[in-house]
Amino acid sequence: MKVKLKMKRLDLSVFCALLIVALGVSPALAQMGQGGNIDGMGRGMGQGMSPGMGPGMGQGMMNGYGFDRYDSRFAGFGSITFEEVCNNFGVPVETALSDLNLPEDMDTNLTVLEVEEQYGVSGQEIASYMVTNMQQTPTSLNARQRLLMRQQAIQNMRGMGQGMYFMHHGRFAYGNYTTFSFDADIGEVSNFAVNGDQIFDSVTISDFVFKEEQVAGATAIYYGENSRILLHDNPMGVMQIMAFANKTVDFNLSEGTEANVDAELSHELGNAIIVNITKNNFEGSLIVFKNYLATVTDDEPLEGLDVEVSGDQVTVTLVNNSVVMFRATPMNPSLMQTGYSYGSHAAYMHQVLNREIARGRVGAEIALRAGGNNSSVVNYTSIGVHIRDRDRDRIVLGVDSNLSEGRVITVNVDNETINLSNPDRIRLRIDGQVIERAENIDELFAGGTRPLCYLVQENETATMAVYIPEFSEREIIIDLEPEAGEESGEETGEEGATEEEGEAKPTPAFEFGFGVALLASSYRLKRRK
């Protein structure tokens, strides 16, 4: 009887020990998996070696890093010559060599694997380049598949970096939201995409004599003769083209993109023009209006602004101190946006914002996202907006201007920046005073002497608009109203949240060590008995 009892105790001990070890190891394995394949596409070279493959020829390279599931031209990718790859995707060999920083005299009969081994340009980079620059698309590849491929290729090029910023690579700039390439010789922006969805094949400015460029953080600026191009990596995918002389700007629409002049709204504005840009579920606008950032502006309307839509081309005529801007209605999550549709409140809010940007009543927009220190600020008038302090569920902004009249600024955040699970808890204050909430966005543009705010939550993001009636140096705080029983002090509440979060998510190494220690302790106790 004692022997059976001891055996049962031993079986129970072994079971508990195995359970503890499994609990400790599983999270560690899960975290290891996060650094490996994404959507089934391997990031590493030489992983998953298959029989018969040469050294370094991993399964990832042979299947085009997962792109072959959509496009059969990627099958056996590593064994195809560089010249054949370029021909398959309709990319000129000379262009590909230049873009990938390969020697002009490189032997193009080298396979993709041999190019990687001899020149250090990875097969994954070549595959991603072909995805984003292909000129020949098979009929079997639908719009959804093309979008998924482009999104994955862009993330491959950006690597593991997070936040809003441009990764500058030759003539290409890869942002978390906005991607494009720029040809300084002809002053052309090409392959312009928002969230991986290509909207414009090219954007060309007449008589653009390139002078210099500045690509830093979430902003890219290209200076030309009497013109300037600004591109922003933010959820709105903003592109601004400013003219300081008469200019013509041609927007060549990508496949599936449509453009229509909003005649009613343009007539209402008088001296501005709005063009609706749509593609599947995507919505955006081209806005042609006075440049309120120009050093010399007055109340006189601009004459000579014009827009013509013909087929897949939009031609914009600009005059001195005018601007044409592309602005998308923010859409999140940044991936898989073709399965998403805009809510009526969000769509109307951004329609109003586009209208008021054209009128010069929106001073600036700022977008913040978790996972990176960068934010994106777009200025429409001479208003300065900067982050004074930032923490989880708390943002402090500094706003200053010399403008004599009030303006609206907007703040776009995600659920990781501010907890949006209960929008009623979100509190906006200006100089310590709670800002009154408006019933609709139009109230903010009716003027008045008191600050107002308006908020629309949409699919784990929120756009907040704040009307500031007068300027000096103002401070706007966005945080959460304390719930019943919570400490009202901001520092105490934040410290408590940090400690609680730290206790709720112990590291896998700690869990595993704890399991081993408990097992050893159990064993020593058994020996003493």
Side-chain angles (χ1 to χ4, degrees), residues 44-104:
M45 301 298 146
Q47 295 178 6
M49 293 289 290
S50 299
M53 294 183 183
M57 183 75 78
Q59 187 64 39
M61 180 177 285
M62 287 305 296
N63 63 21
Y65 306 95
F67 291 128
D68 68 338
R69 75 172 70 180
Y70 306 112
D71 190 334
S72 60
R73 291 175 295 179
F74 283 99
F77 190 71
S79 60
I80 305 175
T81 68
F82 186 84
E83 184 174 350
E84 287 177 317
V85 168
C86 292
N87 293 337
N88 288 344
F89 293 96
V91 179
V93 174
E94 296 78 9
T95 302
L97 289 172
S98 175
D99 289 341
L100 292 167
N101 293 323
L102 291 167
E104 294 181 5

Side-chain angles (χ1 to χ4, degrees), residues 20 42 57 81 99 108 115-116 161 206 215 222 276 279 285 313 332 352 356 362 375 385 396 405 464 491 508-509:
I20 291 169
M57 183 75 78
T81 68
D99 289 341
T108 56
V115 171
E116 177 179 305
S206 63
V215 182
Y222 300 93
N276 297 322
K279 182 178 183 180
S285 298
Q313 182 167 304
N332 250 35
V352 171
E356 300 303 331
V362 178
S375 60
V385 181
V396 181
E405 297 179 355
M464 310 173 199
E491 292 185 3

Side-chain angles (χ1 to χ4, degrees), residues 203-206 241 243 247-251 314-318 324:
V203 181
T204 308
I205 301 93
S206 63
I241 300 174
K247 295 285 182 179
T248 300
V249 184
D250 291 321
F251 294 85
V314 180
T315 301
V316 178
T317 301
L318 297 177
V324 55

Side-chain angles (χ1 to χ4, degrees), residues 204-209 224-228 241-249 304 306 315-320 322:
T204 308
I205 301 93
S206 63
D207 301 321
F208 187 91
V209 180
E225 184 72 30
N226 295 321
S227 56
R228 189 177 303 164
I241 300 174
M242 301 177 179
F244 305 102
N246 293 344
K247 295 285 182 179
T248 300
V249 184
D306 189 36
T315 301
V316 178
T317 301
L318 297 177
V319 297
N320 184 32
S322 64

Side-chain angles (χ1 to χ4, degrees), residues 122-143:
S122 71
Q124 186 181 55
E125 183 175 347
I126 297 173
S128 298
Y129 172 83
M130 294 300 163
V131 169
T132 56
N133 291 275
M134 69 172 69
Q135 302 300 311
Q136 298 174 0
T137 305
T139 56
S140 60
L141 198 62
N142 60 41

Side-chain angles (χ1 to χ4, degrees), residues 147-162:
L147 175 60
L148 292 175
M149 290 177 68
R150 286 183 58 85
Q151 289 172 339
Q152 182 60 40
I154 291 167
Q155 290 304 314
N156 288 345
M157 300 300 286
R158 278 174 59 87
M160 300 305 292
Q162 295 181 325

Side-chain angles (χ1 to χ4, degrees), residues 125-425:
E125 183 175 347
I126 297 173
S128 298
Y129 172 83
M130 294 300 163
V131 169
T132 56
N133 291 275
M134 69 172 69
Q135 302 300 311
Q136 298 174 0
T137 305
T139 56
S140 60
L141 198 62
N142 60 41
R144 172 73 170 174
Q145 292 170 330
R146 289 200 302 271
L147 175 60
L148 292 175
M149 290 177 68
R150 286 183 58 85
Q151 289 172 339
Q152 182 60 40
I154 291 167
Q155 290 304 314
N156 288 345
M157 300 300 286
R158 278 174 59 87
M160 300 305 292
Q162 295 181 325
M164 291 178 287
Y165 71 93
F166 286 116
M167 193 205 79
H168 197 200
H169 183 76
R171 65 187 180 96
F172 297 91
Y174 300 96
N176 194 41
Y177 293 94
T178 309
T179 58
F180 64 94
S181 60
F182 179 75
D183 189 334
D185 293 334
I186 57 176
E188 180 181 88
V189 175
S190 57
N191 300 320
F192 177 84
V194 181
N195 292 334
D197 204 352
Q198 189 160 311
I199 308 301
F200 303 117
D201 285 342
S202 65
V203 181
T204 308
I205 301 93
S206 63
D207 301 321
F208 187 91
V209 180
F210 176 73
K211 292 185 176 180
E212 63 174 315
E213 66 179 46
Q214 295 177 357
V215 182
T219 306
I221 307 176
Y222 300 93
Y223 297 89
E225 184 72 30
N226 295 321
S227 56
R228 189 177 303 164
I229 307 170
L230 297 89
L231 299 107
H232 305 267
D233 182 29
N234 60 25
M236 292 78 71
V238 172
M239 172 169 51
Q240 299 164 291
I241 300 174
M242 301 177 179
F244 305 102
N246 293 344
K247 295 285 182 179
T248 300
V249 184
D250 291 321
F251 294 85
N252 291 304
L253 307 177
S254 296
E255 182 181 355
T257 304
E258 298 181 357
N260 295 284
V261 175
D262 193 325
E264 182 178 351
L265 186 54
S266 299
H267 178 73
E268 178 187 341
L269 290 169
N271 61 342
I273 306 169
I274 292 184
V275 181
N276 297 322
I277 303 294
T278 57
K279 182 178 183 180
N280 297 323
N281 292 9
F282 177 88
E283 295 179 8
S285 298
L286 283 175
I287 311 170
V288 185
F289 61 106
K290 179 187 294 188
N291 183 3
Y292 294 97
L293 286 168
T295 55
V296 179
T297 56
D298 50 43
D299 295 331
E300 292 296 322
L302 293 179
E303 295 183 359
L305 297 178
D306 189 36
V307 172
E308 180 181 349
V309 179
S310 177
D312 59 357
Q313 182 167 304
V314 180
T315 301
V316 178
T317 301
L318 297 177
V319 297
N320 184 32
N321 290 333
S322 64
V323 59
V324 55
M325 179 183 80
F326 172 79
R327 181 181 182 275
T329 300
M331 181 182 286
N332 250 35
S334 59
L335 301 182
M336 309 295 192
Q337 82 268 31
T338 53
Y340 175 79
S341 61
Y342 300 97
S344 58
H345 292 291
Y348 179 72
M349 178 181 188
H350 288 282
Q351 178 185 346
V352 171
L353 290 176
N354 290 337
R355 180 191 72 199
E356 300 303 331
I357 288 171
R359 287 175 169 164
R361 296 180 180 177
V362 178
E365 294 189 281
I366 182 170
L368 302 98
R369 288 293 184 271
N373 295 324
N374 287 319
S375 60
S376 170
V377 178
V378 182
N379 294 98
Y380 303 122
T381 63
S382 55
I383 289 180
V385 181
H386 62 276
I387 301 172
R388 288 185 177 176
D389 191 21
R390 177 179 177 181
D391 205 344
R392 170 63 170 156
D393 295 334
R394 186 174 185 270
I395 301 168
V396 181
L397 301 177
V399 184
D400 61 87
S401 177
N402 294 322
L403 293 174
S404 58
E405 297 179 355
R407 293 292 189 277
V408 170
I409 69 167
T410 72
V411 184
N412 186 277
V413 300
D414 64 353
N415 192 54
E416 298 301 316
T417 304
I418 295 285
N419 187 348
L420 303 175
S421 60
N422 184 359
D424 292 336
R425 286 189 62 200

